[in-house]
Amino acid sequence: DVKVTQSSRYLVKRTGEKVFLECVQDMDHENMFWYRQDPGLGLRLIYFSYDVKMKEKGDIPEGYSVSREKKERFSLILESASTNQTSMYLCASTQENTRDSYGYTFGSGTRLTVV
Amino acid sequence: LAKTTQPISMDSYEGQEVNITCSHNNIATNDYITWYQQFPSQGPRFIIQGYKTKVTNEVASLFIPADRKSSTLSLPRVSLSDTAVYYCLVGDLVNYGQNFVFGPGTRLSVLP
């Protein structure tokens, strides 16, 4: 069964800490994404990557950065965590751009609380 | 980007067929329609995808009229476990990151 694995299910961090959220996929997908989900706001795209070492800003990149050193791993970095970054973070991947693809495969999410 | 509109919430009873309609008036020629399901504390899960007419899989059916300005997700004989949020997305599959936007979705509640 194909999988997107997020390293932590729940995380509590202090304001100002540098936070790393890790995501690994085992499907050899080219594209990987980071979303955050907040009540009433749906899923909002933070960053995505269509190849190793490539990254593109999504709709809300401020306060975040990403790293994709290997095809299977996409990391989201909160440079200095703030309370307004408390949220559910979802990683997703898709295969190479093709109309035969079956959409996003999402991880189970990381619920981050910044105190 | 093709904007989508779908009902915020729906209620149904176990065993009934549920139809959730999504409007996408400015759908482009190369756009596909994809539906996802999300349970609490989980990531969305792909349900079905189509371009035109009707698509059916083991989970659902997707009806797309000729003008493609709307689509209807049909869930046959729902059960309590179908209670979830359902998202309709429209976009060109060749440019995933640039094209797909998740709206608020439709919260389906299945009652006993």
Side-chain angles (χ1 to χ4, degrees), chain A residues 63-78:
Chain A
Y64 303 95
S65 62
V66 291
S67 172
R68 191 155 180 214
E69 296 297 317
K70 294 184 178 181
K71 188 176 185 179
E72 67 271 17
R73 186 179 297 270
F74 192 36
S75 303
L76 179 69
I77 304 155
L78 286 65

Side-chain angles (χ1 to χ4, degrees), chain A residues 1 4 11 13 21 59 72 74 81-82 98 100 102 104:
Chain A
D1 198 15
V4 174
L11 214 50
K13 295 292 182 181
L21 302 183
D59 300 318
E72 67 271 17
F74 192 36
S82 64
T98 167
D100 293 326
Y102 286 91
Y104 296 96

Side-chain angles (χ1 to χ4, degrees), chain A residues 9-10 31 33 35 37 40-45 48 50 56 59 88 90 94-109 111, chain B residues 1 29-32 34 36 38-46 49 51 85 87 89 92-105:
Chain A
R9 196 85 170 92
Y10 299 95
N31 306 316
F33 307 82
Y35 288 87
Q37 185 170 31
L41 296 176
L43 280 82
R44 293 180 291 169
L45 181 63
F48 66 98
Y50 51 87
E56 295 284 344
D59 300 318
M88 169 71 93
L90 289 159
T94 65
Q95 69 185 65
E96 182 180 356
N97 296 328
T98 167
R99 292 192 172 87
D100 293 326
S101 70
Y102 286 91
Y104 296 96
T105 300
F106 278 88
S108 296
R111 187 165 293 282
Chain B
L1 298 178
T29 302
N30 292 332
D31 287 346
Y32 276 63
T34 312
Y36 288 82
Q38 186 179 24
F39 298 114
S41 299
Q42 293 186 26
R45 181 175 73 107
F46 173 91
Q49 180 171 277
Y51 184 79
V85 178
Y87 298 95
L89 276 73
D92 186 339
L93 302 183
V94 179
N95 293 291
Y96 250 101
Q98 295 93 321
N99 281 284
F100 284 94
V101 177
F102 283 84

Side-chain angles (χ1 to χ4, degrees), chain B residues 10-26:
Chain B
M10 294 180 70
D11 291 339
S12 181
Y13 291 96
E14 279 192 292
Q16 289 187 333
E17 178 184 75
V18 170
N19 296 309
I20 306 174
T21 297
C22 179
S23 297
H24 28 81
N25 290 320
N26 61 341

